[in-house]
Amino acid sequence: MKIMRLIILTCFFLCGCQSPIKPSQPEATLETAETMDTLPQRPDVFSFSRHDQVKITHLDLNLKVKFKQQIMDGFVTINYKVIKPQANQLILDTRDLKIKRVESIEAKKTHKLVWRMGQSIEGLGSELIINLPDNHAPIKISYETMPQASGLQWLGAEKTSGKKHPFLFSQSQAVHARSWIPVQDTPSVRVTYNANIQVKAGLKVVMSADNNNQQAIDGIHTFSMQQPIPAYLIAIAIGDLQLQTISEHVTIYAEKEILQAAAYEFASTENMITATEAMYGKYRWGQYDLLILPPSFPFGGMENPKLSHITPTVIAGDRSLDSLIAHELAHSWSGNLVTNALWQDAWLNEGFTSYIEARIIEAIYGTDRMLMESTLIYQSLVEEMSELSEDAQKLINPSKTSDPDDYFSGVAYDKGRFFLEWMEQQVGRPDFDQFLNGYFEQYAFKSITSQDFVAYLEHNLLRQFPHKITEKQVDVWLNQPGLPEFFTPPATQIFTVIDQQVETWLAGDVEAKQINTASWTTQEWLHFLRALPPQLNTEQLHELDHAFQLTQRKNSEIAHDWLKISINNQYQAAYARLIDYLSSIGRVKLIKPLYEALMEHPDLHNLAMNIYIKSRPGYHNIAIKQIDAIVGFKQPE
């Protein structure tokens, strides 16, 4: 997304709804186009809302889903709290929404309200400014989404596993909820919500709420989320979904073609919940269900409460990639329960979650697997930071950007995780767990900043262990680039043995088929592939491929690393698999590096573009914006 050009729009607006307007026209147009620098000071630079003056508290969604037009049509009723008595306007975030009417609801009757569209910023959308009713009655907004809504992906039946019914899913993080709900789209604001969703018979609706296992009547599905959550955690999916309950807390939702495989793959989820409760207290969300999305889902997972969205690319057949489930589950404590108030502090969500993920994996699968994953993560983090600016290497990143996704790097996830691990090592696990339990209890269902965390840390850990952790050390972790000199990176003897085997093979002392890989885990395969030198000749590549059938691997992570090696060494025997891989999945983590690798070789540019033109219609908007820039794709005029 990055910095984008401004939208310049005709400047006029209507105040109020005194006279009827033709249905084909919006009731108000954009007042002006602005940049982030010209906006008045707001609590969150990525939100138009003045939630320090008026804050929404509850939403009632009533939407009809129209697959043919690729829109949602209906209304949302908003309850709110006036924080400053002099405040007289509610300001909401929107993007590509057609606002039809704005009314107050009083004694079951509606009354028209004065409203207008305000500033517009590319990437952030437009502000909706509503004059509050005198009695602060609930506000009803009738609206319609547009087919290009950035937070929704509409898939034709041909893009699903079953090939019979269409599919829709949302991805609201970081600021995409505003593309399908007019809302204060900032993690600083938490809301409860109810929803009535109408779809054609035969399709199932699920949301980040209670009642996903319902039997709908006349295509109307009802939901309730009683715990307050930020807008980015409001989620919906609709398709030919079936379900299988696998444990007390966990039900799998998926198309029938992958339901059984998913149920097997994620069988340890209940054990993960039990292990996390033992460390950090009761799971507070009721159900923890998993929705397996079509392959176009651009992320590994999304921690929508009560219903994590999961990529099918982690269904490896041996449960070796289910650390992703541990990560999304961990968000139930860090991120969903205690939330970063600003996206600049994304490490409060992701660093804490990555730390808990490692603790879950250690509890379920043992220290060896945890250390292997930690070592791979450390190696990737060091490589990534070598290409980042100094500010981007800091946990508290002072740089400005127009796109909050820029704060979601390995720094937020993995440097944040290593910071917490380092503190655990300094004071000991029992005392650090006690500290974290207090933290989760203190800030449960609240949104906080890095400054809030530092204040809590100083009072509840540094004072208790003044000679083990200093304020200066904490400052180095938070505000200095790179990793501190006093940090000891993770390592495992298992990888040392693999390094020796690679050296022996490269020296010609053994053939590839003589390396004993029978018991290797995914993590060992990944280290083996990453330990190979950048340049290999065709004979070496063929030997590896013949010995280990690497080109045909179904494990998406192993296939990714092998295909990247194949691109860098122009191993044409893997190109058919490369084409199939890039055209069948849309997970950005897996496809973006392969397109980047292709574009590093001028004679592979045409191959990259041909694959992309074929694959692009099945990619999510989030992936498309990134890959367009990599391959230089431009829409025909």
Side-chain angles (χ1 to χ4, degrees):
M1 289 181 271
K2 307 298 177 188
I3 297 176
M4 304 175 186
R5 72 183 189 279
L6 297 176
I7 300 177
I8 306 300
L9 297 156
T10 304
C11 301
F12 76 96
F13 61 87
L14 291 173
C15 289
C17 309
Q18 313 296 326
S19 57
I21 296 176
K22 294 180 181 180
S24 62
Q25 295 180 350
E27 195 166 77
T29 59
L30 297 178
E31 179 185 85
T32 184
E34 299 285 349
T35 68
M36 293 182 68
D37 292 336
T38 62
L39 280 177
Q41 187 65 38
R42 299 176 188 271
D44 183 344
V45 296
F46 300 113
S47 172
F48 294 103
S49 68
R50 292 304 304 261
H51 53 271
D52 55 339
Q53 298 181 6
V54 180
K55 180 180 289 189
I56 65 174
T57 58
H58 178 80
L59 306 176
D60 283 295
L61 282 169
N62 287 267
L63 297 171
K64 184 175 182 179
V65 181
K66 301 178 180 179
F67 273 95
K68 186 175 182 180
Q69 296 94 330
Q70 296 189 345
I71 63 171
M72 292 182 179
D73 186 17
F75 64 90
V76 60
T77 302
I78 296 175
N79 292 76
Y80 51 91
K81 178 181 180 181
V82 177
I83 297 171
K84 293 187 177 181
Q86 69 273 24
N88 58 13
Q89 292 179 329
L90 172 65
I91 301 178
L92 303 176
D93 296 299
T94 74
R95 182 196 290 143
D96 292 330
L97 293 181
K98 179 181 179 181
I99 306 300
K100 299 178 178 179
R101 294 181 304 280
V102 180
E103 305 160 299
S104 65
I105 301 177
E106 304 171 36
K108 298 184 179 180
K109 295 183 179 180
T110 60
H111 303 271
K112 293 178 180 179
L113 293 176
V114 175
W115 64 278
R116 62 185 173 88
M117 301 303 291
Q119 291 137 329
S120 172
I121 296 179
E122 179 73 10
L124 299 185
S126 308
E127 62 178 340
L128 171 58
I129 303 169
I130 302 168
N131 285 9
L132 294 177
D134 292 338
N135 61 354
H136 297 165
I139 293 174
K140 177 183 176 182
I141 304 171
S142 299
Y143 71 99
E144 184 179 293
T145 67
M146 295 186 183
Q148 69 267 27
S150 63
L152 301 174
Q153 185 172 26
W154 303 84
L155 297 173
E158 72 281 0
K159 298 296 183 181
T160 67
S161 298
K163 311 296 183 186
K164 294 181 180 179
H165 299 281
F167 203 105
L168 166 68
F169 66 86
S170 66
Q171 173 54 42
S172 295
Q173 194 183 46
V175 291
H176 300 288
R178 65 190 68 180
S179 72
W180 62 287
I181 308 170
V183 69
Q184 291 180 330
D185 195 7
T186 166
S188 297
V189 175
R190 306 176 75 98
V191 299
T192 54
Y193 77 87
N194 297 323
N196 291 310
I197 308 296
Q198 183 177 354
V199 297
K200 68 178 183 178
L203 294 179
K204 185 170 186 58
V205 183
V206 291
M207 295 192 75
S208 56
D210 290 324
N211 208 26
N212 281 320
N213 62 352
Q214 67 191 282
Q215 295 295 320
I217 300 174
D218 296 328
I220 298 176
H221 298 69
T222 62
F223 303 90
S224 176
M225 168 55 82
Q226 298 180 0
Q227 295 100 327
I229 59 173
Y232 77 88
L233 293 176
I234 302 175
I236 189 170
I238 304 169
D240 185 16
L241 295 168
Q242 296 190 7
L243 62 91
Q244 181 173 335
T245 299
I246 64 172
S247 66
E248 177 187 357
H249 291 91
V250 185
T251 296
I252 307 290
Y253 293 87
E255 294 183 84
K256 66 179 181 180
E257 289 77 10
I258 60 171
L259 182 61
Q260 292 301 318
Y264 172 82
E265 198 75 22
F266 307 132
S268 295
T269 305
E270 188 70 39
N271 293 337
M272 292 181 179
I273 295 172
T274 301
T276 316
E277 286 185 322
M279 292 184 286
Y280 304 118
K282 184 174 177 59
Y283 177 76
R284 305 189 190 204
W285 302 90
Q287 282 293 109
Y288 181 69
D289 295 336
L290 303 175
L291 170 66
I292 315 306
L293 287 168
S296 62
F297 182 51
F299 300 122
M302 181 61 209
E303 64 270 17
N304 305 307
K306 299 180 184 286
L307 187 74
S308 283
H309 287 192
I310 304 298
T311 174
T313 64
V314 293
I315 300 177
D318 59 3
R319 300 171 182 163
S320 62
L321 299 178
D322 66 352
S323 57
L324 176 79
I325 306 301
H327 184 91
E328 306 312 328
L329 170 65
H331 270 300
S332 302
W333 284 264
S334 52
N336 297 1
L337 186 65
V338 182
T339 307
N340 53 234
L342 301 171
W343 292 121
Q344 296 91 313
D345 293 325
W347 79 275
L348 289 174
N349 278 18
E350 301 301 347
F352 277 73
T353 295
S354 297
Y355 168 80
I356 298 173
E357 171 196 342
R359 293 288 303 275
I360 294 171
I361 293 301
E362 183 178 21
I364 301 299
Y365 294 116
T367 302
D368 280 347
R369 174 165 161 181
M370 183 274 291
L371 281 177
M372 285 192 290
E373 292 186 355
S374 298
T375 304
L376 291 171
I377 287 168
Y378 168 75
Q379 293 166 350
S380 296
L381 175 63
V382 170
E383 181 180 357
E384 181 180 0
M385 285 198 299
S386 69
E387 299 178 357
L388 296 177
S389 68
E390 288 197 350
D391 279 350
Q393 296 176 41
K394 301 172 183 177
L395 285 179
I396 299 180
N397 184 346
S399 60
K400 294 182 179 180
T401 175
S402 63
D403 186 353
D405 287 346
D406 290 341
Y407 294 114
F408 286 84
S409 70
V411 173
Y413 286 78
D414 304 321
K415 182 177 178 179
R417 170 239 176 116
F418 291 136
F419 172 38
L420 297 181
E421 282 188 355
W422 175 81
M423 288 194 289
E424 176 206 310
Q425 293 162 5
Q426 302 313 111
V427 304
R429 180 165 287 183
D431 286 312
F432 193 66
D433 279 352
Q434 183 178 356
F435 164 77
L436 284 184
N437 273 275
Y439 170 77
F440 292 135
E441 187 62 36
Q442 173 81 12
Y443 295 113
F445 300 107
K446 296 178 182 177
S447 300
I448 68 170
T449 64
S450 289
Q451 289 69 34
D452 295 323
F453 168 74
V454 170
Y456 186 84
L457 176 68
E458 291 175 349
H459 184 77
N460 293 281
L461 199 67
L462 270 60
R463 291 184 185 180
Q464 280 70 22
F465 301 96
H467 302 298
K468 295 185 177 181
I469 302 177
T470 67
E471 291 183 8
K472 183 177 180 180
Q473 288 172 316
V474 170
D475 180 72
V476 170
W477 275 105
L478 296 176
N479 297 304
Q480 296 300 316
L483 291 165
E485 293 181 357
F486 50 81
F487 165 67
T488 302
T492 170
Q493 182 61 27
I494 295 172
F495 285 174
T496 302
V497 172
I498 293 175
D499 290 337
Q500 294 168 349
Q501 292 172 312
V502 170
E503 291 178 7
T504 302
W505 174 70
L506 289 170
D509 296 335
V510 299
E511 296 180 5
K513 64 183 180 181
Q514 294 176 299
I515 301 174
N516 184 7
T517 64
S519 62
W520 276 12
T521 64
T522 293
Q523 292 72 32
E524 288 165 287
W525 276 111
L526 293 177
H527 182 74
F528 173 77
L529 293 172
R530 295 172 190 181
L532 295 171
Q535 299 301 317
L536 294 167
N537 61 44
T538 302
E539 290 74 19
Q540 289 173 313
L541 292 165
H542 178 75
E543 181 184 355
L544 291 171
D545 201 4
H546 181 73
F548 306 128
Q549 292 76 53
L550 291 167
T551 297
Q552 304 308 318
R553 287 297 180 103
K554 299 303 181 184
N555 183 303
S556 64
E557 298 278 356
I558 295 173
H560 169 270
D561 277 29
W562 173 247
L563 291 173
K564 189 174 180 181
I565 290 170
S566 299
I567 293 169
N568 290 335
N569 291 279
Q570 301 194 36
Y571 179 57
Q572 296 185 16
Y575 284 6
R577 175 74 171 104
L578 173 68
I579 294 168
D580 178 70
Y581 188 90
L582 289 174
S583 61
S584 61
I585 64 174
R587 186 180 174 188
V588 174
K589 171 192 171 184
L590 299 178
I591 65 173
K592 180 181 177 183
L594 298 183
Y595 281 110
E596 289 174 332
L598 285 166
M599 295 306 293
E600 288 177 2
H601 300 276
D603 53 343
L604 296 181
H605 286 186
N606 286 338
L607 176 62
M609 185 62 76
N610 289 335
I611 296 173
Y612 186 54
I613 290 172
K614 173 186 175 183
S615 306
R616 190 177 186 272
Y619 288 164
H620 189 279
N621 179 63
I622 290 172
I624 286 172
K625 287 187 175 181
Q626 296 186 54
I627 310 302
D628 276 0
I630 292 170
V631 303
F633 178 88
K634 293 182 180 180
Q635 285 280 20
E637 299 250 345

